[in-house]
Amino acid sequence: MTRLSEGAIEALSNGGGFNDAVLQLVNIRKLDGGNGPARFRVMMSDGRHTLSSFMLSTQLNCMAEENILAPNCICMLKKHVTNILKDGRRVVIILEIDVIKSAQDVAGRIGDPIPYTDGQIKGPQSAPVPQSRPPLQPQNRNEVNRGFNRDFGMKAPSAMPSTPGGSSKVVPIASLNPYQSKWTVRARVTNKSSIRTWSNSRGDGKLFSMEIVDESGEIRVTGFNQEVDKFFSLIEIGKVYYFSKGSLKIANKQYTSVKNDYEMTLNGDSTIIPCEDSCDVPMVQCDFISIGDLENRDRDAVVDVIGVCKTVDEVTRLTTKSNREVSKRTLNLMDMSGKVVTVTLWGEEAENFDGSAQPIVAIKGAKVSDFGGRSLTATFNSTLMVNPDIPEAYKLRGWYDSEGHAIDGQSVTEVKGGSGGGNTNWKTLTDVKMEHLGHGDKADYYTCIATIIYLRKENCLYQACPSQDCNKKVIDQQNGMFRCEKCDKEFPNFKYRLILSANIADYGDNQWVTCFQESAEAILGQNAAYLGQLKDSNESAFDEIFQQANFNTFVFRNRVKLETYNDESRIKATVMEVKPVDHKDYSRRLIMNIRKLTVQ
């Protein structure tokens, strides 16, 4: 018979510690979590006493829902924290627990325990039902299966350190909830935003946010106005601090990817003090998923991924609707699943990223898009790590150097039936027709190398609305003004836009494609404004540009979809992107295809 830890209930009830207490679960009750997930209240026994003031942290809910935690099972309490409510009652929050003997393997209740209350032994009585309240801390199910703590080999301290001045006890992030009045957490800053400003009818303001992590979990912290002035310059990514007296509220998942149902807001009473002894605080917490699993993730899901940067594009610059210029860069990551995903970086990360040495790239909080099957975006709240010092990175590097480099990889960003484009779903034009791409419910995307054999220059230019976000064709009013029906305005000028029809061919077949502004300009080597002026002033020079563009070879990323017009169905092919041929990469891919054929 398993021996229970007699005396553990008394120690836990009085707020004392008891390492690896072996207890029997007597009863478990599901409580309504309001707007948050459900909570589970647990009654435990040490063979002598029972205590009903145990609460399961929400990251362990699956153990109750899957009946792993069931009445009579024997458990070892690995990690807990005791919270004191406003009325003085203590609640033991279970952060990590192992079932060492399932309920089916236990004959029944061990011993004859009686309820323990405030140090007094009372006769058997029913357990009071606590007031339902929001969850303490969510973690995803994978963290539970890993034993909750993801600290990359760093061992959690056996006892929490005291705070500077000893004003309040250091508690784990996982135990934070709005019902606590005094607390301090010791955590490492893993991400810090820039200062953002706003202006509306209620006034002007500014804010910044950061993400902090300890051995139990993570949380998002936001400071506004005065707190920005007070704390922004103090905070450095990678440093450890003591955080006290922040306000806790339910997290708005629209603005954060942090795995916590709560978020912290700094206020006038908040304090942040640097911590010198920080070696036992983990650097970052990630729950990596396989790139191959992205196909099963919903649009806008937030995930952690790690992969080898196989290819990287040059930085491009875009102008936003607010007339602000931003930098953009795309790269392709591959992991041990042999799958490849396209990732988009923005801003400074796009400018500073160097993928020339095919580094290991880890992204925490990447956002899933269904553009072209599945793709990822590193958002404002994402954390990008290049060659991180974590076991997953070393394992991936060893695999790639030994065998992964010889794998071409299958893209999840550009797959049949997807709704966007990628870079690596290579097809010949014969493959496109033989595989009936574009005949499904959704458009298909593919990449090919083909040569321009004919360009139709008739009606390739049109006069468009000069507004920033409008490309509608304008109507010449014959009075020096041009009217846009969409904007319902008249303008003294217009801008030229390109719609170019081209016939492209490879060694097996040909296909008519439509090229819009950016792809048409890449093929012709001139911008639309210059071509419009040339067409009006020097038609022979205009024709010469089209002649010179013939018989040039490019890498095309195309979208194909079966469309019906006037009861006639035909495949419409649209060029999404045009690039020069990287002959080194092309040759490498041809060699890989030859090797595959020799194996067959």
Side-chain angles (χ1 to χ4, degrees):
M1 180 181 292
T2 304
R3 185 177 180 85
L4 303 181
S5 303
E6 291 190 6
I9 291 294
E10 181 177 2
L12 293 169
S13 178
N14 292 323
F18 202 107
N19 294 331
D20 295 340
V22 178
L23 304 172
Q24 184 176 32
L25 191 150
V26 177
N27 190 22
I28 185 167
R29 180 180 301 173
K30 186 176 182 179
L31 306 174
D32 183 13
N35 293 328
R39 303 304 309 279
F40 288 90
R41 185 180 184 183
V42 182
M43 178 184 286
M44 289 289 195
S45 165
D46 64 0
R48 181 190 302 170
H49 299 131
T50 62
L51 184 67
S52 61
S53 298
F54 289 87
M55 292 289 287
L56 206 62
S57 57
T58 55
Q59 74 269 10
L60 302 181
N61 277 2
C62 67
M63 297 184 72
E65 292 165 350
E66 296 179 3
N67 214 32
I68 298 172
L69 290 175
N72 293 332
C73 72
I74 308 299
C75 308
M76 180 177 289
L77 185 61
K78 303 290 289 183
K79 190 179 295 185
H80 74 280
V81 64
T82 302
N83 284 346
I84 301 177
L85 305 183
K86 292 181 180 179
D87 60 6
R89 289 184 296 124
R90 285 187 172 91
V91 176
V92 181
I93 309 298
I94 300 173
L95 300 178
E96 184 179 343
I97 190 169
D98 291 340
V99 176
I100 58 178
K101 186 173 286 189
S102 65
Q104 295 87 341
D105 298 331
V106 181
R109 185 176 298 189
I110 298 175
D112 190 20
I114 56 178
Y116 184 93
T117 307
D118 296 331
Q120 299 178 3
I121 299 174
K122 297 185 179 180
Q125 59 185 21
S126 60
V129 179
Q131 180 183 358
S132 174
R133 60 181 184 270
L136 294 180
Q137 154 72 10
Q139 294 285 341
N140 63 35
R141 179 172 165 184
N142 289 336
E143 284 191 340
V144 178
N145 295 336
R146 294 198 311 266
F148 178 65
N149 188 21
R150 182 65 176 266
D151 56 9
F152 301 125
M154 298 181 184
K155 188 175 180 180
S158 58
M160 283 292 180
S162 59
T163 61
S167 58
S168 59
K169 181 181 178 183
V170 171
V171 299
I173 288 175
S175 71
L176 292 179
N177 65 80
Y179 304 97
Q180 294 171 289
S181 57
K182 293 183 179 180
W183 50 262
T184 297
V185 295
R186 187 179 69 134
R188 189 183 303 276
V189 177
T190 59
N191 194 14
K192 175 189 173 186
S193 75
S194 58
I195 297 176
R196 288 180 287 174
T197 59
W198 76 86
S199 179
N200 54 34
S201 58
R202 291 179 292 180
D204 300 334
K206 57 186 175 181
L207 67 87
F208 85 103
S209 63
M210 56 183 152
E211 295 167 14
I212 62 174
V213 62
D214 68 5
E215 66 273 7
S216 72
E218 57 186 346
I219 194 169
R220 185 174 188 249
V221 183
T222 304
F224 295 88
N225 299 323
Q226 293 181 353
E227 282 65 53
V228 175
D229 298 332
K230 184 177 179 181
F231 296 120
F232 183 81
S233 59
L234 170 68
I235 299 300
E236 295 182 37
I237 295 177
K239 296 292 183 67
V240 176
Y241 302 85
Y242 291 99
F243 297 81
S244 299
K245 298 180 181 178
S247 303
L248 293 163
K249 63 178 183 179
I250 296 292
N252 187 341
K253 295 299 184 180
Q254 181 180 354
Y255 300 108
T256 178
S257 60
V258 174
K259 298 178 179 70
N260 197 322
D261 274 352
Y262 295 119
E263 60 186 7
M264 185 190 307
T265 302
L266 302 175
N267 55 50
D269 296 325
S270 300
T271 62
I272 302 178
I273 301 173
C275 172
E276 301 300 329
D277 183 16
S278 61
C279 61
D280 57 342
V281 181
M283 292 298 295
V284 69
Q285 286 193 337
C286 291
D287 180 25
F288 294 121
I289 69 166
S290 167
I291 290 175
D293 290 340
L294 288 173
E295 295 172 296
N296 302 319
R297 300 292 171 135
D298 294 332
R299 176 184 177 181
D300 294 333
V302 176
V303 297
D304 303 339
V305 295
I306 186 169
V308 180
C309 178
K310 279 185 68 71
T311 59
V312 59
D313 293 338
E314 295 297 324
V315 173
T316 58
R317 288 173 176 79
L318 307 175
T319 303
T320 65
K321 293 181 179 180
S322 59
N323 208 29
R324 183 171 60 92
E325 190 178 80
V326 295
S327 300
K328 173 186 175 184
R329 186 195 296 268
T330 59
L331 53 101
N332 290 303
L333 297 184
M334 184 174 76
D335 66 6
M336 294 173 67
S337 68
K339 297 296 181 71
V340 179
V341 66
T342 297
V343 180
T344 302
L345 306 181
W346 298 92
E348 291 184 6
E349 287 182 341
E351 292 277 0
N352 300 330
F353 182 80
D354 181 8
S356 58
Q358 294 189 310
I360 304 296
V361 178
I363 305 176
K364 177 178 173 60
K367 190 174 184 179
V368 178
S369 169
D370 59 0
F371 180 79
R374 288 294 181 268
S375 58
L376 295 174
T377 299
T379 68
F380 179 81
N381 293 315
S382 303
T383 302
L384 179 74
M385 295 165 281
V386 179
N387 291 325
D389 186 17
I390 57 177
E392 289 88 343
Y394 292 113
K395 182 178 180 181
L396 189 58
R397 172 54 67 192
W399 168 81
Y400 187 77
D401 290 345
S402 62
E403 56 181 291
H405 67 278
I407 299 175
D408 194 26
Q410 180 182 357
S411 176
V412 300
T413 302
E414 185 176 53
V415 294
K416 184 173 181 179
S419 57
N423 296 322
T424 55
N425 189 34
W426 293 95
K427 300 289 182 183
T428 65
L429 297 181
T430 302
D431 292 335
V432 174
K433 294 183 179 179
M434 294 295 292
E435 296 177 16
H436 302 291
L437 295 186
H439 287 260
D441 294 333
K442 295 182 179 180
D444 290 324
Y445 293 76
Y446 68 92
T447 302
C448 69
I449 290 183
T451 302
I452 303 286
I453 59 174
Y454 184 75
L455 293 171
R456 187 178 290 156
K457 63 178 181 293
E458 293 78 18
N459 300 319
C460 67
L461 284 164
Y462 72 93
Q463 297 170 344
C465 176
S467 298
Q468 178 73 32
D469 303 317
C470 181
N471 296 321
K472 188 75 174 176
K473 185 176 181 179
V474 294
I475 301 171
D476 190 346
Q477 300 294 98
Q478 304 299 325
N479 60 359
M481 301 296 287
F482 300 87
R483 177 171 177 77
C484 175
E485 294 291 343
K486 180 180 178 182
C487 299
D488 194 23
K489 291 181 180 180
E490 291 188 1
F491 301 92
N493 61 330
F494 58 84
K495 63 185 177 186
Y496 276 111
R497 297 281 300 179
L498 277 164
I499 300 181
L500 184 64
S501 184
N503 191 255
I504 62 174
D506 62 10
Y507 64 88
D509 212 328
N510 67 74
Q511 184 173 48
W512 280 99
V513 296
T514 301
C515 310
F516 291 97
Q517 186 81 350
E518 289 79 10
S519 57
E521 289 179 340
I523 289 172
L524 296 172
Q526 301 290 345
N527 62 51
Y530 175 74
L531 290 169
Q533 295 174 2
L534 207 60
K535 187 175 187 298
D536 296 335
S537 61
N538 190 341
E539 192 164 348
S540 61
F542 178 79
D543 293 341
E544 181 64 22
I545 289 175
F546 279 77
Q547 290 297 325
Q548 290 180 359
N550 281 326
F551 305 107
N552 289 324
T553 302
F554 298 94
V555 176
F556 292 88
R557 183 161 60 91
N558 297 339
R559 174 189 188 271
V560 285
K561 182 72 176 71
L562 186 67
E563 296 188 354
T564 302
Y565 183 72
N566 288 338
D567 296 327
E568 181 181 348
S569 296
R570 63 176 182 175
I571 286 290
K572 181 178 180 181
T574 304
V575 176
M576 307 303 294
E577 186 179 13
V578 176
K579 291 182 180 180
V581 178
D582 182 341
H583 291 282
K584 182 178 179 181
D585 180 70
Y586 182 41
S587 299
R588 186 187 305 117
R589 188 167 53 81
L590 290 176
I591 292 170
M592 288 302 305
N593 291 338
I594 292 171
R595 288 177 179 172
K596 290 177 183 177
L597 290 172
T598 57
V599 172
Q600 296 173 1

